[in-house]
């Protein structure tokens, strides 16, 4: 079952912060986050495993609340290069197939 | 890092013909590869899971006889779109689970198929 993402789209000015949410009605083992730019393949950002962990590098971080079956991606001090469509993908079990959400279009403007 | 390639990057074919798309893991062995289809401004729709040396597992609604998947080696999976029709025009992307015990998937650059 496809996870739900919100918002569908967001426009930011450089330096602003954004949060993208991903939720599922099923119990999850992991949540993956990818960014895709127009006409290109998705690029892996990070994965969060069951255990309620948080991860981050530089100005992009994420959290996973397994009890609520929700994950959030945090982008701080956004840069123009952050523009693209962000997909979360969920797995129900370890090494399972990944089902992707509908995506969140993020545009960063000067 | 883990690199996945796809060939061709784009293809135009006539209705009724077949097209083969190759997906290769260049610097690691991939026992499992995935094939996705993506329409403009839409999400990645999983078509099938390809396991080396065994039959592919297709998602509900995906025609096995139309989309033939072969995973003949640990570095190569192929998707053949048989008797292609204009509605098969799409962006096809493969991915491979990373080397070792990593969970992340690495995506190929995708193949743009246009059926005329």
């Amino acid at each position: 079952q496809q996870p739900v993402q919100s918002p569908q789209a967001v426009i930011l000015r450089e330096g602003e912060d954004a949060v993208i949410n991903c939720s599922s009605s099923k119990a999850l083992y992991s949540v993956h986050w990818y960014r895709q730019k127009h006409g290109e393949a998705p690029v892996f950002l990070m994965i969060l495993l069951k255990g309620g962990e948080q991860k981050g590098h530089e100005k992009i971080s994420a959290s996973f609340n397994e009890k609520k079956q929700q994950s959030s991606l945090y982008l701080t001090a956004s840069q123009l290069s952050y523009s693209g469509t962000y997909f979360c993908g969920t797995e129900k079990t370890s090494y399972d197939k990944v089902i992707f959400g509908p995506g969140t279009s993020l545009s960063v403007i000067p | 890092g883990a690199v996945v390639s796809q060939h061709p990057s784009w293809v135009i074919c006539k209705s009724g013909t077949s097209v083969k798309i190759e997906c290769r893991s260049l610097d690691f062995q991939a026992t499992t590869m995935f094939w996705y289809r993506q329409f403009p401004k839409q999400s990645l729709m999983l078509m099938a899971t390809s396991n080396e040396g065994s039959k592919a597992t297709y998602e509900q609604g995906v025609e096995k006889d139309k989309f033939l998947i072969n995973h003949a080696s640990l570095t190569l999976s192929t998707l053949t779109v048989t008797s292609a029709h204009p509605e098969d025009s799409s962006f096809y992307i493969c991915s491979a689970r990373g080397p070792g015990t990593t969970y992340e998937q690495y995506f190929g650059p995708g193949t743009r198929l246009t059926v005329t």
Side-chain angles (χ1 to χ4, degrees):
Chain A
Q1 191 168 3
Q2 187 180 47
V4 176
Q5 282 185 241
S6 64
Q8 283 187 320
V10 58
I11 299 174
L12 301 173
R13 291 198 177 276
E14 264 188 296
E16 291 183 337
D17 302 340
V19 179
I20 300 172
N21 300 302
C22 175
S23 64
S24 172
S25 59
K26 303 284 186 183
L28 299 176
Y29 177 78
S30 72
V31 178
H32 302 224
W33 286 98
Y34 291 81
R35 176 172 61 211
Q36 184 180 32
K37 292 187 181 285
H38 182 67
E40 300 179 6
V43 173
F44 173 76
L45 293 176
M46 65 186 77
I47 180 172
L48 301 104
L49 303 179
K50 192 168 74 168
E53 62 174 345
Q54 285 190 290
K55 274 191 179 180
H57 56 85
E58 297 186 348
K59 297 173 182 175
I60 300 177
S61 62
S63 63
F64 176 29
N65 185 325
E66 65 184 276
K67 290 183 180 178
K68 293 185 178 181
Q69 292 133 216
Q70 293 176 349
S71 177
S72 294
L73 184 72
Y74 307 94
L75 300 101
T76 58
S78 58
Q79 305 168 12
L80 295 176
S81 62
Y82 286 5
S83 294
T85 301
Y86 289 78
F87 292 100
C88 71
T90 57
E91 281 180 299
K92 291 189 293 183
T93 61
S94 176
Y95 293 109
D96 194 5
K97 58 189 179 184
V98 176
I99 304 300
F100 287 90
T104 295
S105 173
L106 185 132
S107 300
V108 181
I109 58 176
Chain B
V3 179
V4 176
S5 71
Q6 266 184 256
H7 178 80
S9 55
W10 61 269
V11 57
I12 301 172
C13 70
K14 292 190 175 182
S15 189
T17 61
S18 296
V19 173
K20 181 185 282 189
I21 301 170
E22 293 185 349
C23 176
R24 293 181 186 271
S25 55
L26 296 185
D27 50 2
F28 66 101
Q29 294 183 332
T31 54
T32 302
M33 290 183 172
F34 303 91
W35 286 96
Y36 294 86
R37 183 174 180 176
Q38 187 176 35
F39 291 106
K41 297 187 178 181
Q42 292 191 23
S43 185
L44 299 142
M45 186 194 81
L46 180 65
M47 298 175 67
T49 302
S50 171
N51 294 297
E52 186 266 337
S54 63
K55 290 183 179 180
T57 302
Y58 290 82
E59 294 300 300
Q60 193 172 11
V62 178
E63 298 175 60
K64 300 178 183 182
D65 295 331
K66 181 167 187 61
F67 299 100
L68 301 179
I69 292 172
N70 185 290
H71 195 152
S73 76
L74 288 171
T75 59
L76 173 64
S77 176
T78 60
L79 167 67
T80 301
V81 183
T82 63
S83 187
H85 289 101
E87 56 266 31
D88 298 326
S89 299
S90 188
F91 193 48
Y92 291 88
I93 312 177
C94 72
S95 72
R97 201 177 289 279
T101 57
T102 56
Y103 294 95
E104 56 261 38
Q105 293 185 36
Y106 293 90
F107 284 85
T111 297
R112 174 76 58 193
L113 170 64
T114 303
V115 184
T116 60

